[in-house]
Amino acid sequence: MTPSIYQVIHRQEEFAGTFTLRLQVQRKNRTNPPMRFNPGQFNMLYAFGTGESAISFSGLACGRELEGEGSILIHTIRAQGNVTRALECLREGDTLGVRGPFGQGWPLQKAKGKELLIIAGGLGLAPLRPVIYAALEGRLAANKVRLFYGARHPSELLYREELESWAKQIEQEISVDHGDGTWPGHIGVITDPLQAARIDGANTVAFLCGPEIMMRFCIQALLRKGVPASAISLSMERNMKCATGLCGHCQWGPNFICKDGPVFCYEDIRPWLQIRSL
Amino acid sequence: MDYLLHASDLERLIQAIYKDGYQIFGPTINDKAITYGEISSSADLPQGWTDIQEGGRYRLKRRTDKAFFGYAVGPHSWKKYLQLPHRPIWKASRQHQDIEVIEIQETAPKLAFLGVRSCELHAIAIQDRVLTEGDYTNENYRQRRAQLFTVAVNCTSAAATCFCTAMNTGPEVKLPSDLTLTEVIEGAAHFFLIRSGSASGAQILSELSLRPAGMREKNLANGRVQQLDEEMRKGPRHFDSSDLKELLYRNLDSPSWDKVAERCLSCANCTMACPTCFCSTVEDTTDLSGEHSERWERWDSCFTADLSHLTGGPVRSDTRSRYRQWMTHKLATWQDQFGSSGCVGCGRCITWCPVGIDLTEEVRSIRDLECKQAGSQEQP
């Protein structure tokens, strides 16, 4: 499966080393139908000559981002390996390859009539951004949506301006590991505000994405509040090469993260999450 | 229907397959081992040789007879011809801001495998499920596989490392094969029982105009296979594999993994020799101009740090977790993923492990430790 070629039409530096690209399919491929995806799925982004990296969709699921002749893809990326560092060098007008969409996304239908908790750590907010937009547009039919977001430092918050605009409709608890003197919010791990929150367990669903350790502790807090295991979804990360279930890299117990995930229902993967170095 | 093929007519069989346009691969002696290579006549086969195998040990030895297939299995498996060890995937070029990616598609050759053992037919069937029966397929594998012609051989002797009876994959050929041979040497007589399992196999057979095998010949051939089956079931490496998945799922934190990690070198030999291991990676390279790039796929192994690499280091940072991944994948998680075990009991991982780690011993060790722990918990 070869990548389609896309062009960077906008580049936004979120903070040092982390950036958001808006991509549009190359003019000669515009006759292809626009890429449709579910929030939580991912693309393989190909930096010419360097390789591919699995990056989740941060753009809207449908509607608004369909501009002009082709759909716009939004991907938020942290430069940490060879490929993502090469992607970091791309500027507006530059081209890259895109293969996708791959994997299983968030079970949005579970939020219907429930309170949805969106729990993100660091870059984990990126695959949840389309869920937030779906909520803002009323497409989830959730009773209420709350965002718990933890970052290392106030300067390392993603989508700063959007966070402020979301606050009008979505209750937010933002926590940082280290304050900067002016930070008015909570300092510490995101599990603290989660534990302090009033949560009606039986009528709550939770979507989590972040470091595994953060997700494990948040899940324990949710379970203690009576949120059923079947109402908790989390997005997992492993090394991926093919994204099509053939290369074996992303195995996690019996699961292939690329095709069975990256979003899993906690009830289904509970035994595997407890095993170190699996 | 079984036919009789005299040993001296094996050459006619090879030429008939060759004449049908196949490239024939089979066992040959190479670097003091029986490996798979291209065959042009029966003279290329390891006639009169056998292999002596044990954990971490492999030697060729002269047989006292002239058997063509009197060995078990060597370090190679057929997967090297179906899931290629190293192959180009695409070429890409960049001019200014325009990138073009062109898939590299091979015209698949018509392959014939001569001397495929029952465990190896099972291994090919397992790789079929992994590489061609999911939502996405390895197209190169699928095309090579689609045209494959197999000449299977019933085992009438086994290496000490073989445990196909434990995995229900042999020694008798039961999966479909275009042709199946059973070699018999009895006194001065040297012949094969041969049967077809497909239209193309039947076509080749009809070209050879053979006579049907008699009852005595059939009994001799079948008796050898049955006798081997019984011997292997009494052997030290036979075990009950029916509960392997549950056993390993219960024992992901068994102290046995720590013990085996003290010996395992994480060298990946077992995964390279294994006929079902399918992990691969890709490598991207560019020329000096930076305008032309290629992507190649090559075999990878769960024993490398790179396979589970994530920012912050590999998920499986130690040998314990890598050996556990390999063995639990092979024997347990494979069942959930693809509906069968990933192990065919060929014993290659035992023979070609430089320190002689034995998968069947590791299964026993996990079981014994579990029993011992259960026993000590029962005591007051």
Side-chain angles (χ1 to χ4, degrees):
Chain A
M1 188 180 179
T2 50
S4 302
I5 307 305
Y6 279 67
Q7 192 164 37
V8 178
I9 55 167
H10 185 261
R11 183 188 190 282
Q12 162 93 39
E13 185 94 357
E14 299 286 343
F15 50 86
T18 299
F19 53 97
T20 297
L21 300 180
R22 283 175 182 252
L23 309 174
Q24 187 170 35
V25 75
Q26 217 178 24
R27 198 167 294 277
K28 63 185 174 196
N29 293 334
R30 297 248 172 101
T31 49
N32 302 348
M35 188 183 286
R36 293 281 173 186
F37 67 92
N38 297 318
Q41 287 189 298
F42 65 95
N43 268 330
M44 297 300 286
L45 301 190
Y46 168 62
F48 179 82
T50 308
E52 288 180 306
S53 190
I55 308 287
S56 59
F57 286 92
S58 292
L60 303 189
C62 55
R64 262 220 249 148
E65 304 276 342
L66 291 170
E67 290 167 17
E69 294 170 80
S71 62
I72 307 292
L73 304 179
I74 302 178
H75 288 289
T76 298
I77 304 158
R78 178 177 291 166
Q80 29 198 17
N82 288 341
V83 175
T84 46
R85 275 198 288 267
L87 293 170
E88 189 186 21
C89 298
L90 295 177
R91 293 294 176 266
E92 284 161 24
D94 288 345
T95 42
L96 74 166
V98 178
R99 283 195 300 139
F102 297 114
Q104 310 298 321
W106 302 103
L108 298 180
Q109 73 289 351
K110 282 191 181 175
K112 191 177 174 187
K114 302 277 185 179
E115 179 170 340
L116 172 64
L117 305 182
I118 295 174
I119 305 168
L123 209 63
L125 186 59
L128 286 161
R129 183 179 177 274
V131 178
I132 291 170
Y133 275 98
L136 292 173
E137 290 167 7
R139 282 188 278 124
L140 297 184
N143 285 345
K144 188 179 172 188
V145 180
R146 274 195 277 177
L147 171 65
F148 292 84
Y149 178 31
R152 279 190 295 212
H153 191 263
S155 65
E156 296 191 11
L157 291 168
L158 288 179
Y159 316 130
R160 236 161 210 293
E161 289 170 16
E162 291 174 273
L163 273 176
E164 282 170 31
S165 71
W166 298 341
K168 288 173 214 139
Q169 285 167 271
I170 294 178
E171 205 177 293
Q172 295 179 0
E173 288 285 354
I174 301 180
S175 166
V176 295
D177 297 347
H178 305 282
D180 62 356
T182 62
W183 176 251
H186 182 263
I187 295 177
V189 290
I190 193 65
T191 9
D192 299 339
L194 189 63
Q195 258 154 359
R198 191 187 291 267
I199 291 169
D200 172 13
N203 289 306
T204 297
V205 295
F207 294 174
L208 296 92
C209 185
E212 255 176 71
I213 180 94
M214 165 238 151
M215 293 198 288
R216 278 211 294 271
F217 280 101
C218 287
I219 288 169
Q220 292 315 312
L222 292 168
L223 294 173
R224 277 197 297 274
K225 287 183 181 286
V227 181
S230 59
I232 301 173
S233 297
L234 65 159
S235 182
M236 293 292 298
E237 186 190 13
R238 284 293 182 272
N239 191 358
M240 283 188 210
K241 291 289 175 189
C242 72
T244 55
L246 299 172
C247 80
H249 278 248
C250 68
Q251 285 181 78
W252 179 49
N255 310 291
F256 286 84
I257 304 283
C258 71
K259 62 175 185 181
D260 303 320
V263 176
F264 292 95
C265 176
Y266 173 64
E267 192 177 35
D268 299 335
I269 50 88
R270 183 162 28 189
W272 311 110
L273 201 59
Q274 321 301 334
I275 309 287
R276 201 176 65 84
S277 305
L278 189 67
Chain B
M1 178 86 161
D2 291 310
Y3 290 86
L4 187 78
L5 179 78
H6 287 290
S8 54
D9 284 339
L10 184 62
E11 182 63 25
R12 282 175 60 214
L13 171 66
I14 292 173
Q15 296 314 320
I17 298 169
Y18 188 73
K19 228 170 54 195
D20 264 18
Y22 289 99
Q23 217 179 332
I24 307 176
F25 294 90
T28 58
I29 292 181
N30 188 24
D31 291 340
K32 296 183 184 171
I34 294 171
T35 61
Y36 295 142
E38 193 160 1
I39 298 286
S40 57
S41 89
S42 59
D44 294 330
L45 300 174
Q47 191 178 13
W49 288 94
T50 191
D51 45 11
I52 308 296
Q53 304 193 41
E54 250 314 325
R57 187 181 160 82
Y58 178 97
R59 296 289 184 275
L60 288 187
K61 197 182 150 196
R62 276 277 179 204
R63 292 176 61 93
T64 53
D65 61 24
K66 290 280 177 197
F68 285 100
F69 300 100
Y71 60 91
V73 290
H76 289 188
S77 73
W78 302 105
K79 82 174 176 186
K80 69 173 182 167
Y81 299 118
L82 297 173
Q83 189 203 355
L84 297 180
H86 199 210
R87 70 178 177 109
I89 305 287
W90 77 50
K91 277 183 182 186
S93 59
R94 179 169 63 182
Q95 274 190 317
H96 307 293
Q97 288 185 327
D98 196 18
I99 299 173
E100 191 174 24
V101 181
I102 298 164
E103 195 170 3
I104 298 175
Q105 278 167 330
E106 175 202 54
T107 313
K110 262 177 89 174
L111 307 175
F113 295 167
L114 173 63
V116 185
R117 306 299 174 142
S118 177
C119 61
E120 298 183 309
L121 280 177
H122 279 269
I124 293 170
I126 287 171
Q127 281 221 321
D128 287 350
R129 287 195 282 277
V130 175
L131 298 174
T132 68
E133 291 176 19
D135 289 343
Y136 297 92
T137 58
N138 177 331
E139 200 47 27
N140 187 267
Y141 177 97
R142 195 191 61 75
Q143 287 180 17
R144 287 175 159 255
R145 178 72 179 93
Q147 305 184 77
L148 178 65
F149 187 92
T150 55
V151 183
V153 172
N154 276 308
C155 290
T156 51
S157 63
T161 43
C162 292
F163 58 100
C164 59
T165 50
M167 303 313 296
N168 302 311
T169 55
E172 187 187 349
V173 173
K174 288 181 179 163
L175 290 184
S177 173
D178 296 294
L179 291 172
T180 303
L181 301 171
T182 312
E183 186 171 25
V184 177
I185 298 178
E186 178 75 7
H190 185 184
F191 63 88
F192 295 95
L193 230 57
I194 184 167
R195 69 167 64 168
S196 67
S198 72
S200 40
Q203 173 63 31
I204 299 263
L205 268 194
S206 69
E207 287 167 30
L208 296 176
S209 51
L210 303 170
R211 77 159 168 85
M215 194 51 87
R216 183 174 170 273
E217 290 140 357
K218 277 197 244 183
N219 286 345
L220 267 174
N222 296 337
R224 299 269 160 101
V225 183
Q226 288 316 312
Q227 193 189 338
L228 175 64
D229 188 286
E230 284 160 29
E231 280 168 18
M232 289 181 76
R233 283 177 197 280
K234 286 181 215 139
R237 287 192 168 97
H238 179 79
F239 64 97
D240 176 8
S241 67
S242 59
D243 69 337
L244 279 185
K245 186 177 111 175
E246 293 73 19
L247 175 74
L248 293 180
Y249 279 8
R250 283 197 308 271
N251 286 284
L252 291 166
D253 281 320
S254 169
S256 191
W257 304 118
D258 298 298
K259 280 188 173 175
V260 72
E262 287 172 14
R263 300 164 62 209
C264 174
L265 308 174
S266 230
C267 73
N269 255 20
C270 50
T271 54
M272 298 292 110
C274 177
T276 67
C277 273
F278 61 86
C279 284
S280 65
T281 190
V282 286
E283 286 167 342
D284 292 272
T285 54
T286 51
D287 64 3
L288 287 177
S289 75
E291 287 168 0
H292 303 97
S293 178
E294 282 188 5
R295 162 165 289 206
W296 285 67
E297 182 185 283
R298 67 163 173 77
W299 288 356
D300 203 352
S301 168
C302 51
F303 283 94
T304 68
D306 199 47
L307 190 109
S308 66
H309 173 84
L310 276 184
T311 310
V315 173
R316 298 183 204 105
S317 56
D318 54 7
T319 301
R320 174 187 178 276
S321 58
R322 291 182 206 162
Y323 188 86
R324 180 180 66 185
Q325 166 61 23
W326 177 69
M327 189 164 137
T328 53
H329 184 217
K330 200 102 300 201
L331 300 176
T333 55
W334 205 299
Q335 299 188 36
D336 277 337
Q337 295 171 348
F338 303 108
S340 77
S341 170
C343 174
V344 296
C346 71
R348 286 180 176 91
C349 57
I350 304 172
T351 300
W352 297 98
C353 174
V355 296
I357 293 171
D358 181 339
L359 179 130
T360 64
E361 262 173 40
E362 295 310 315
V363 168
R364 200 177 319 125
S365 153
I366 288 168
R367 205 184 287 281
D368 290 350
L369 277 169
E370 187 185 50
C371 287
K372 216 185 281 177
Q373 278 175 337
S376 65
Q377 274 163 15
E378 272 165 30
Q379 278 165 18

